[in-house]
Amino acid sequence: MPELPEVETVRAGLQRWVAGRTIAAVEVRHARSVRRHLAGGADLAARLAGATVRCASRRGKYLWLPLVDRPAASGGALIAHLGMSGQLLVEAPDAPDERHLHLRFAFADGGRELRFVDQRTFGGVLVDRLVPADDVPAGRPPERVPAQIAHIARDPLDPLFDDEQFVLRLRRRDTEVKRALLDQTLISGVGNIYADESLWRARLHGARRTATLSRPAARELLAQVRAVLGDALQAGGTSFDALYVNVNGESGYFDRSLAVYGREHRPCPRCGTPIRRAAFMNRSSFFCPQCQRPPRAR
DNA sequence: ATCGGTCCCTGTGTGC
DNA sequence: TGCACACAGGGACCGA
């Protein structure tokens, strides 16, 4: 469910409320939330007990909390992915347990705890080592990323995102442009909502083949992706229901600014033509049939 | 090596 | 009311 603007909103909340604090204990209430930590929940809890959180980092839809290096646990980071319905909440220890509370992180200061709540259990956490990012230009400070997400592309709000490299790789692909936008190894942070919104802004149909895009069209698409992600971040993200909230349980309000997503039959904000919905990858695509002309069948 | 389809989950809304 | 079904912000994995 959460895409870059929602995950970044959560990251900012973690930076504010969790950075600098020392984890006292981790309670694993649902094994599925730690399935990506292959050594198991007990190992995860042991690695985190006594660890101090340096800060809150993010790439695309992945979050991580780098841990202060300790001889016993060799640092590393706590990585989290929210999947479709995951929430990281900062709450008083005596707040009632949520229905789908799967993980509880208590802190040594006895203050507000961190909880992972996830209805559909597609999200989860793991502890991993950090490795140097291999694409930092000379003269820039070195960066470390969790080994497990080193294959994830930088996101378009990352200062080191390489626009021309993206345009090159996009046009070299042989697939539909919406599929490419959702491929986190090409560009990260874009999900179903912002893919549709970006394509509408760029006046491109999601079924256009990537190889048919001109360089200017590809650059324009990237500019619109960046713009819509930035606009949504300003609004605190998109919340259709209570499933996406920030660490304090508050909703974002970008749903009011959506042009096409979830708006079947309603008028296109640009030309008034009714928005259409089409099945796509077990989900939906929303588009304006006038502004975004479908490509001819190949 | 890529690409495209399927599956993992729970909950909600709709139509019969 | 109850039931069946479609659908929901993601992505790992498998076969072609």
Short mmCIF file of all heavy atoms in Angstrom, two decimals, chain A residues 128-161:
data_model
loop_
_atom_site.label_atom_id
_atom_site.label_comp_id
_atom_site.label_asym_id
_atom_site.label_seq_id
_atom_site.Cartn_x
_atom_site.Cartn_y
_atom_site.Cartn_z
N ASP A 128 20.19 -6.93 9.02
CA ASP A 128 21.15 -7.24 7.96
C ASP A 128 22.40 -6.37 8.13
O ASP A 128 22.36 -5.36 8.82
CB ASP A 128 20.49 -6.96 6.61
CG ASP A 128 21.28 -7.53 5.43
OD1 ASP A 128 22.16 -8.38 5.66
OD2 ASP A 128 21.01 -7.11 4.30
N ARG A 129 23.48 -6.79 7.48
CA ARG A 129 24.70 -5.98 7.53
C ARG A 129 24.60 -4.86 6.50
O ARG A 129 23.83 -4.95 5.54
CB ARG A 129 25.93 -6.85 7.26
CG ARG A 129 25.98 -7.38 5.87
CD ARG A 129 26.89 -8.61 5.78
NE ARG A 129 26.65 -9.26 4.50
CZ ARG A 129 27.33 -8.97 3.38
NH1 ARG A 129 28.30 -8.08 3.42
NH2 ARG A 129 27.05 -9.57 2.25
N LEU A 130 25.40 -3.83 6.71
CA LEU A 130 25.45 -2.71 5.79
C LEU A 130 26.68 -2.86 4.91
O LEU A 130 27.74 -3.24 5.38
CB LEU A 130 25.51 -1.39 6.56
CG LEU A 130 24.25 -1.04 7.34
CD1 LEU A 130 24.52 0.09 8.33
CD2 LEU A 130 23.12 -0.65 6.39
N VAL A 131 26.53 -2.56 3.63
CA VAL A 131 27.65 -2.63 2.70
C VAL A 131 27.77 -1.27 2.00
O VAL A 131 26.79 -0.54 1.89
CB VAL A 131 27.45 -3.76 1.66
CG1 VAL A 131 27.36 -5.11 2.35
CG2 VAL A 131 26.21 -3.51 0.81
N PRO A 132 28.97 -0.94 1.52
CA PRO A 132 29.14 0.37 0.86
C PRO A 132 28.34 0.42 -0.45
O PRO A 132 28.33 -0.54 -1.22
CB PRO A 132 30.65 0.43 0.58
CG PRO A 132 31.26 -0.63 1.44
CD PRO A 132 30.22 -1.69 1.62
N ALA A 133 27.66 1.54 -0.68
CA ALA A 133 26.99 1.74 -1.97
C ALA A 133 28.08 1.90 -3.03
O ALA A 133 29.07 2.61 -2.82
CB ALA A 133 26.12 2.99 -1.91
N ASP A 134 27.90 1.21 -4.16
CA ASP A 134 28.99 1.17 -5.14
C ASP A 134 28.85 2.24 -6.23
O ASP A 134 29.64 2.28 -7.17
CB ASP A 134 29.08 -0.22 -5.78
CG ASP A 134 27.79 -0.59 -6.49
OD1 ASP A 134 26.91 0.27 -6.63
OD2 ASP A 134 27.66 -1.77 -6.92
N ASP A 135 27.86 3.12 -6.12
CA ASP A 135 27.64 4.09 -7.19
C ASP A 135 27.78 5.53 -6.71
O ASP A 135 27.21 6.45 -7.30
CB ASP A 135 26.25 3.88 -7.81
CG ASP A 135 25.13 4.11 -6.81
OD1 ASP A 135 25.42 4.13 -5.60
OD2 ASP A 135 23.98 4.27 -7.24
N VAL A 136 28.54 5.72 -5.63
CA VAL A 136 28.73 7.09 -5.12
C VAL A 136 29.90 7.72 -5.86
O VAL A 136 31.00 7.18 -5.86
CB VAL A 136 29.00 7.06 -3.60
CG1 VAL A 136 29.23 8.47 -3.08
CG2 VAL A 136 27.84 6.39 -2.87
N PRO A 137 29.68 8.86 -6.51
CA PRO A 137 30.76 9.51 -7.27
C PRO A 137 31.90 9.95 -6.35
O PRO A 137 31.67 10.24 -5.17
CB PRO A 137 30.09 10.74 -7.89
CG PRO A 137 28.63 10.54 -7.75
CD PRO A 137 28.43 9.61 -6.59
N ALA A 138 33.11 10.01 -6.92
CA ALA A 138 34.27 10.46 -6.15
C ALA A 138 33.99 11.86 -5.60
O ALA A 138 33.37 12.68 -6.26
CB ALA A 138 35.50 10.48 -7.05
N GLY A 139 34.43 12.09 -4.37
CA GLY A 139 34.24 13.40 -3.78
C GLY A 139 33.00 13.47 -2.91
O GLY A 139 32.85 14.40 -2.11
N ARG A 140 32.09 12.51 -3.08
CA ARG A 140 30.90 12.46 -2.23
C ARG A 140 31.19 11.60 -1.02
O ARG A 140 31.97 10.65 -1.10
CB ARG A 140 29.73 11.82 -3.00
CG ARG A 140 29.23 12.68 -4.13
CD ARG A 140 28.04 13.46 -3.65
NE ARG A 140 27.31 14.08 -4.76
CZ ARG A 140 26.14 14.68 -4.58
NH1 ARG A 140 25.57 14.68 -3.41
NH2 ARG A 140 25.53 15.25 -5.60
N PRO A 141 30.53 11.88 0.09
CA PRO A 141 30.75 11.03 1.26
C PRO A 141 30.25 9.61 0.99
O PRO A 141 29.26 9.43 0.27
CB PRO A 141 29.90 11.70 2.35
CG PRO A 141 28.98 12.62 1.65
CD PRO A 141 29.63 12.99 0.36
N PRO A 142 30.95 8.60 1.50
CA PRO A 142 30.53 7.21 1.26
C PRO A 142 29.17 6.95 1.89
O PRO A 142 28.76 7.63 2.84
CB PRO A 142 31.61 6.39 1.94
CG PRO A 142 32.27 7.32 2.91
CD PRO A 142 32.13 8.69 2.36
N GLU A 143 28.47 5.99 1.34
CA GLU A 143 27.14 5.63 1.83
C GLU A 143 27.11 4.14 2.09
O GLU A 143 27.72 3.38 1.35
CB GLU A 143 26.11 5.89 0.72
CG GLU A 143 25.33 7.16 0.83
CD GLU A 143 24.33 7.24 -0.32
OE1 GLU A 143 23.74 6.21 -0.69
OE2 GLU A 143 24.16 8.33 -0.83
N ARG A 144 26.33 3.73 3.08
CA ARG A 144 26.17 2.29 3.31
C ARG A 144 24.70 1.93 3.21
O ARG A 144 23.84 2.68 3.67
CB ARG A 144 26.74 1.89 4.67
CG ARG A 144 28.26 2.13 4.73
CD ARG A 144 28.94 1.26 5.76
NE ARG A 144 28.39 1.45 7.10
CZ ARG A 144 28.60 0.58 8.10
NH1 ARG A 144 29.32 -0.50 7.90
NH2 ARG A 144 28.09 0.81 9.30
N VAL A 145 24.43 0.80 2.59
CA VAL A 145 23.05 0.32 2.45
C VAL A 145 23.01 -1.14 2.88
O VAL A 145 24.01 -1.85 2.80
CB VAL A 145 22.54 0.44 0.99
CG1 VAL A 145 22.47 1.89 0.54
CG2 VAL A 145 23.42 -0.36 0.04
N PRO A 146 21.85 -1.60 3.34
CA PRO A 146 21.74 -3.01 3.71
C PRO A 146 22.01 -3.90 2.49
O PRO A 146 21.55 -3.60 1.38
CB PRO A 146 20.29 -3.15 4.18
CG PRO A 146 19.88 -1.77 4.57
CD PRO A 146 20.61 -0.87 3.63
N ALA A 147 22.74 -5.00 2.71
CA ALA A 147 23.10 -5.89 1.61
C ALA A 147 21.84 -6.40 0.88
O ALA A 147 21.83 -6.53 -0.34
CB ALA A 147 23.92 -7.06 2.13
N GLN A 148 20.79 -6.67 1.65
CA GLN A 148 19.57 -7.22 1.06
C GLN A 148 18.88 -6.29 0.07
O GLN A 148 18.07 -6.74 -0.74
CB GLN A 148 18.55 -7.54 2.18
CG GLN A 148 18.98 -8.63 3.10
CD GLN A 148 18.39 -9.97 2.73
OE1 GLN A 148 17.39 -10.04 2.03
NE2 GLN A 148 19.03 -11.04 3.17
N ILE A 149 19.14 -5.00 0.17
CA ILE A 149 18.44 -4.09 -0.74
C ILE A 149 19.40 -3.37 -1.68
O ILE A 149 19.03 -2.39 -2.32
CB ILE A 149 17.55 -3.08 0.02
CG1 ILE A 149 18.41 -2.13 0.83
CG2 ILE A 149 16.53 -3.77 0.88
CD1 ILE A 149 17.59 -0.93 1.25
N ALA A 150 20.59 -3.90 -1.79
CA ALA A 150 21.57 -3.28 -2.68
C ALA A 150 21.11 -3.33 -4.14
O ALA A 150 21.53 -2.51 -4.95
CB ALA A 150 22.93 -3.96 -2.53
N HIS A 151 20.22 -4.28 -4.45
CA HIS A 151 19.77 -4.41 -5.84
C HIS A 151 18.63 -3.44 -6.17
O HIS A 151 18.21 -3.32 -7.32
CB HIS A 151 19.29 -5.84 -6.10
CG HIS A 151 18.05 -6.20 -5.34
ND1 HIS A 151 18.04 -6.35 -3.97
CD2 HIS A 151 16.77 -6.38 -5.73
CE1 HIS A 151 16.81 -6.64 -3.56
NE2 HIS A 151 16.02 -6.67 -4.61
N ILE A 152 18.09 -2.76 -5.15
CA ILE A 152 17.00 -1.80 -5.37
C ILE A 152 17.60 -0.51 -5.94
O ILE A 152 18.59 0.00 -5.43
CB ILE A 152 16.27 -1.51 -4.03
CG1 ILE A 152 15.62 -2.79 -3.49
CG2 ILE A 152 15.24 -0.41 -4.20
CD1 ILE A 152 14.50 -3.33 -4.33
N ALA A 153 16.97 -0.01 -6.99
CA ALA A 153 17.47 1.22 -7.61
C ALA A 153 17.28 2.40 -6.67
O ALA A 153 16.44 2.36 -5.76
CB ALA A 153 16.72 1.48 -8.91
N ARG A 154 18.03 3.45 -6.88
CA ARG A 154 17.78 4.69 -6.14
C ARG A 154 16.42 5.22 -6.56
O ARG A 154 15.92 4.93 -7.64
CB ARG A 154 18.86 5.71 -6.45
CG ARG A 154 20.20 5.35 -5.83
CD ARG A 154 21.24 6.43 -6.09
NE ARG A 154 22.54 6.02 -5.57
CZ ARG A 154 22.96 6.23 -4.32
NH1 ARG A 154 22.17 6.85 -3.46
NH2 ARG A 154 24.14 5.81 -3.92
N ASP A 155 15.81 6.02 -5.69
CA ASP A 155 14.52 6.59 -6.03
C ASP A 155 14.73 8.01 -6.57
O ASP A 155 15.77 8.62 -6.35
CB ASP A 155 13.59 6.55 -4.82
CG ASP A 155 14.13 7.37 -3.65
OD1 ASP A 155 14.22 8.61 -3.78
OD2 ASP A 155 14.47 6.77 -2.62
N PRO A 156 13.72 8.55 -7.26
CA PRO A 156 13.91 9.83 -7.95
C PRO A 156 14.03 11.03 -7.02
O PRO A 156 14.34 12.12 -7.49
CB PRO A 156 12.69 9.95 -8.86
CG PRO A 156 11.71 8.96 -8.36
CD PRO A 156 12.46 7.90 -7.64
N LEU A 157 13.80 10.86 -5.73
CA LEU A 157 14.03 11.97 -4.80
C LEU A 157 15.43 11.89 -4.19
O LEU A 157 15.83 12.75 -3.41
CB LEU A 157 12.97 11.99 -3.69
CG LEU A 157 11.52 12.15 -4.17
CD1 LEU A 157 10.59 12.38 -2.98
CD2 LEU A 157 11.38 13.26 -5.19
N ASP A 158 16.18 10.84 -4.54
CA ASP A 158 17.56 10.66 -4.07
C ASP A 158 18.47 11.58 -4.89
O ASP A 158 18.43 11.56 -6.11
CB ASP A 158 17.94 9.18 -4.30
CG ASP A 158 19.32 8.82 -3.77
OD1 ASP A 158 20.22 9.69 -3.76
OD2 ASP A 158 19.50 7.66 -3.39
N PRO A 159 19.29 12.41 -4.21
CA PRO A 159 20.17 13.33 -4.95
C PRO A 159 21.11 12.60 -5.91
O PRO A 159 21.56 13.20 -6.89
CB PRO A 159 20.98 14.02 -3.85
CG PRO A 159 20.26 13.76 -2.57
CD PRO A 159 19.41 12.55 -2.75
N LEU A 160 21.39 11.32 -5.65
CA LEU A 160 22.31 10.59 -6.53
C LEU A 160 21.57 9.80 -7.62
O LEU A 160 22.18 9.03 -8.35
CB LEU A 160 23.20 9.65 -5.71
CG LEU A 160 24.20 10.35 -4.79
CD1 LEU A 160 25.13 9.32 -4.15
CD2 LEU A 160 25.01 11.40 -5.52
N PHE A 161 20.26 9.97 -7.73
CA PHE A 161 19.53 9.32 -8.83
C PHE A 161 20.08 9.87 -10.14
O PHE A 161 20.24 11.07 -10.32
CB PHE A 161 18.03 9.62 -8.72
CG PHE A 161 17.20 8.88 -9.74
CD1 PHE A 161 16.69 7.62 -9.47
CD2 PHE A 161 16.92 9.46 -10.98
CE1 PHE A 161 15.92 6.94 -10.40
CE2 PHE A 161 16.15 8.78 -11.92
CZ PHE A 161 15.65 7.51 -11.64
#
